[in-house]
Structure formats: C-alpha cells, structure tokens
Amino acid sequence: MVDIRSMVNVLLITLGSATLLAATHWLTTDRIARNQNARLRAELQALITDPKLMPAPLPQLSMVPASWEVCGELLLVRSRASGYAGPIELLYTLNQKAPTLDRLRILSHQETPGITRFLRDSDGGWLRALTGQTALSMSEVATVSGATITSRAIRNHLAAVLDAPREHLGDALNLVAGTLEADCPE
Amino acid sequence: MTQALRPSLQKTIAAGAVANNPVWVQLLGLCPLLAVSNSVTNAIGLALASAAVLIGSNSVIALLRHRIPEFARLPCFVLIIASFTTVAVLLMQAFTYELYLKIALFVQIIVTNCMILGRAEAFASKQTVAAAFADALGTAAGFAIALLTLGAVRELIATGGLFDQMEMLFGATAASWHLSLTDDPSGMLLAALPPGAFIVAGLLLALKNALRPSNSSSPMIPMTPYEQE
C-alpha cells in the first residue's frame, strides 16, 4: 500500500529536479544563444566576405536544411551530406549566375578525428579545391587519401546540389527556402 | 563493529579510483568510453561531464536516502541522474560549445551509464552524504583515468600527437598545447576507428591484469558496504 507521505516525497523530489533544471536553463539560456550566434556569424563571415552582403538578422540555426537567397547573387545553403559515421553539416554559398560553389564551411560531423583534419581547413587544402567548381568539374576532384568515404560524400553531395535546377533545388533537398535581408549593392 | 569496518574517506576515494576502478576492474561505462576516447580533448570533456553528474547525483541521493520511498527507488534515482545530466548538457553548451557539438550524444546518454546508476543503488542510497561524495569522487577519478589513458594512447597512435583541439576546453591559449611527435599526421588510423578502440582497450586491460591480477589480495571495497549510523 502506497502511503500519502511517500507520494508527497516523490512529488517533492520531482519539484526539486524541475527547479534545478529551470534555474540552470535560466542561467545558461543567454550564453547558449550567444554561442550559437557567434558560431553562426563566424561561419557566415568566412562564407560571405563582402560585409554588405552579410544578412541581418542572422538566419536561425534550427532551420536545417535551408537555403537563403542573398541579393540575387548568392544562394546560402545549409544541407547534410551522409558521411562515414553520420551526417556532415555543410554551410556554403553558390554563385547564382554561374552555378558554381563559391565557399564552403563544415559546421559539424562525426567523422574520425585525426584523419578528417582537412575538414577544418576551409581556406586551403581539399575544401579549397572544391570552390569554383561546377557540377561537372566537381565530380572530377580527387578524394582524400585515408578519408575516401568522407570526402566522396561531400563531393558527391555538392555535385548533386549544383546539378539540380535552381528552381527545383528546394524540392530536391527538402530545403526551407527564404530570402535574407542584406544591404545589397545597387 | 560497523564503525570499525568503515573505511576512511580517503580509502573510499582511492578504492573507487584504483582497486574498484569502474572501467578496468568492473568493466562499466564502456559504451561512451570506447566511442569518445579517440582524443584526449574528447576524453577530458566526457570525464568532466560524467564526474559532475556522478558527484551531484550521488550526493543528492545520499541526502534524500531516507525520503526516497522503496517502491519508487529506481525512478527517483533516474530522475535525479537525468536532472544532473541535463544540467551538464546545458553547462557544456554554455561554456564549451564547440566540444559539446562534437560529443553531444555521449554527454546526453550519461543518464543511462550503468556506472552512475550502480553507485547510486549500491552505495549512495545507503551511505552518508560525505561517504557518497567520496565514493563518487573516487569513481569519477577512476573513470577519468581510464578515459584519459585510452584517449591518449589512441590519439598518439592514430595521429602521432597529443592534445589536439584543447582550445575547445581551455580557450585560445590552449591551441599551442598540441604536441606533434611525428612528421606524419596520419599515423596508424585503425586506433582512431571503432575497432581500434576495442583493440587498444583490450591491450590496456591485459596490461592492467598483468601488472595487477584481479584475484590479487589487494583490499577491495565491497559493492554494498556496511550500513551507516
């Protein structure tokens, strides 16, 4: 027979746990939001080098996958390639006029550390070799020795994106489409 | 008699870390251990998060041990452990965001780590807060020793270096802590892959057994020790 005192004790323990979580959430919410915004801004600054094209406000990280048109020139895309150990989150810009990859950042991945150091180096090495490529030439970029599956997954994903007709890109990748407000040049 | 059998807190800590090491002696918590220990940075991150959850939940369970009804013992333990796990997740997101993004899954599943629930059930729910705190401290230290040992060996073999990406934990100045012991950064890749985790862990366990056989006469702290008060 469960007595009332035991039930009250369980209820108090539950309330105590909820209070602990609420207090921690209250203390960390702002800092977590700042971390997310800082990371996104850093990634966008690496991608969109022209400060006039920097979107304001910043797109929400939770909108995954998504694409945003920037001033009719760039298409900012966040999408996922299927890597060796799980999804690889990509953030990149495409030149709208000539369908080429403009710049690329790897936001997150679960690939094997050590052998995937090249994913960190967006300004040089293998990731740099992908920029400026069209769908056709992208497929000809050699994969990385020792990380073949990872590099092939990224390369093939980007080639598929570039190959998709612009008007059907959203449908092809299940992207949430949007337009970013930026101080566009005349 | 009970008091005479009761070990000092220092002995409890030492037993949790060495004689009853949760990994090398009890083989507990192996899932996150094998998954995350491919670098020292990841190992430190998971060790700190696990220690926070273990120490917090053990202490609270010991504090509430007379209030937790027998019929709801396990749900209450899991509720308390899950609460501390969520706190650890939020704190990592707030203070070590980049590292959190790398090991998020394994921090979130600390709640299911049998090492933590085991110490709550076998020790904290029967002991004073001080004893439970000491036991959690020792067990957390033991888990951290295992994580760091495995992480260091695997990173060294796989990349020929140590302390890569320490800036994710200790700020920008820690970026210079990276040691590269060979010119070839690729190293022996197998050590960084999941099969490498099993092989290196097995070799380290064999080494531990060679140095300190499990049937040695070293004193062991019983899993369900002496009732308090």
Side-chain angles (χ1 to χ4, degrees):
Chain A
M1 183 71 183
V2 177
D3 62 299
I4 291 180
R5 191 174 171 177
S6 296
M7 293 302 293
V8 170
N9 283 339
V10 172
L11 188 63
L12 288 175
I13 290 168
T14 307
L15 285 175
S17 298
T19 306
L20 176 68
L21 293 182
T24 311
H25 182 261
W26 180 73
L27 288 171
T28 56
T29 298
D30 287 346
R31 199 176 176 103
I32 291 171
R34 277 206 305 275
N35 286 341
Q36 289 174 337
N37 267 334
R39 178 174 164 81
L40 181 59
R41 180 165 287 281
E43 299 293 354
L44 287 176
Q45 279 173 343
L47 280 174
I48 304 173
T49 48
D50 186 346
K52 284 194 169 181
L53 298 182
M54 181 60 71
L58 294 173
Q60 290 299 308
L61 267 177
S62 56
M63 288 175 68
V64 177
S67 71
W68 300 271
E69 190 175 300
V70 186
C71 298
E73 290 187 15
L74 296 174
L75 189 68
L76 175 67
V77 186
R78 179 169 179 169
S79 62
R80 288 177 183 153
S82 184
Y84 174 74
I88 303 169
E89 298 277 354
L90 309 170
L91 186 68
Y92 48 95
T93 46
L94 305 177
N95 282 315
Q96 294 259 60
K97 291 170 187 166
T100 56
L101 179 70
D102 181 54
R103 284 171 180 269
L104 166 68
R105 301 283 292 177
I106 308 297
L107 293 182
S108 66
H109 66 87
Q110 283 88 47
E111 307 300 283
T112 311
I115 63 172
T116 49
R117 277 187 189 159
F118 70 94
L119 295 180
R120 282 189 245 158
D121 187 12
S122 295
D123 298 325
W126 188 79
L127 293 184
R128 180 69 182 162
L130 297 178
T131 59
Q133 304 288 352
T134 62
L136 193 63
S137 62
M138 180 74 74
S139 310
E140 294 167 5
V141 176
T143 54
V144 177
S145 175
T148 310
I149 297 174
T150 304
S151 52
R152 185 191 294 144
I154 294 170
R155 186 196 66 182
N156 291 354
H157 176 78
L158 291 171
V161 169
L162 286 165
D163 197 35
R166 284 291 78 92
E167 60 272 23
H168 300 305
L169 182 63
D171 296 335
L173 293 174
N174 289 322
L175 298 177
V176 178
T179 303
L180 288 176
E181 297 295 331
D183 186 10
C184 299
E186 294 297 325
Chain B
M1 183 65 181
T2 302
Q3 290 297 321
L5 283 173
R6 189 172 185 166
S8 67
L9 296 183
Q10 291 92 333
K11 281 185 179 175
T12 305
I13 295 172
V18 183
N20 282 351
N21 186 290
V23 173
W24 301 131
V25 177
Q26 300 179 52
L27 300 179
L28 296 175
L30 292 183
C31 168
L33 177 95
L34 296 174
V36 169
S37 64
N38 44 24
S39 75
V40 173
T41 307
N42 289 358
I44 293 175
L46 185 66
L48 289 176
S50 301
V53 175
L54 187 57
I55 292 169
S57 59
N58 250 24
S59 302
V60 169
I61 287 167
L63 184 69
L64 300 175
R65 65 191 185 281
H66 298 307
R67 303 277 178 191
I68 297 174
E70 180 64 20
F71 74 91
R73 197 177 74 255
L74 283 176
C76 286
F77 293 168
V78 172
L79 175 66
I80 292 166
I81 294 168
S83 300
F84 277 99
T85 303
T86 309
V87 168
V89 165
L90 290 172
L91 291 177
M92 281 195 79
Q93 282 185 285
F95 296 102
T96 60
Y97 186 65
E98 295 295 322
L99 181 63
Y100 171 77
L101 292 179
K102 280 186 77 181
I103 62 170
L105 173 64
F106 298 97
V107 176
Q108 289 160 2
I109 63 166
I110 286 175
V111 67
T112 62
N113 191 323
C114 49
M115 172 187 77
I116 295 173
L117 190 58
R119 296 324 292 163
E121 169 74 358
F123 198 101
S125 61
K126 301 176 177 66
Q127 294 292 311
T128 61
V129 175
F133 179 86
D135 178 69
L137 199 61
T139 305
F143 191 57
I145 289 168
L147 264 169
L148 288 174
T149 310
L150 197 55
V153 172
R154 289 181 66 194
E155 186 177 351
L156 194 60
I157 296 173
T159 68
L162 279 174
F163 310 126
D164 189 26
Q165 292 189 299
M166 289 293 267
E167 67 273 16
M168 289 194 294
L169 262 177
F170 301 108
T173 53
S176 60
W177 296 358
H178 181 233
L179 297 176
S180 192
L181 305 178
T182 64
D183 294 333
D184 180 13
S186 58
M188 188 178 170
L189 301 179
L190 179 65
L193 297 170
F198 283 95
I199 294 168
V200 175
L203 290 172
L204 287 174
L205 191 59
L207 178 66
K208 173 258 157 195
N209 282 338
L211 295 173
R212 190 188 177 96
S214 55
N215 60 353
S216 72
S217 58
S218 60
M220 297 274 284
I221 302 297
M223 287 297 290
T224 51
Y226 18 77
E227 185 52 66
Q228 72 295 336
E229 281 109 39

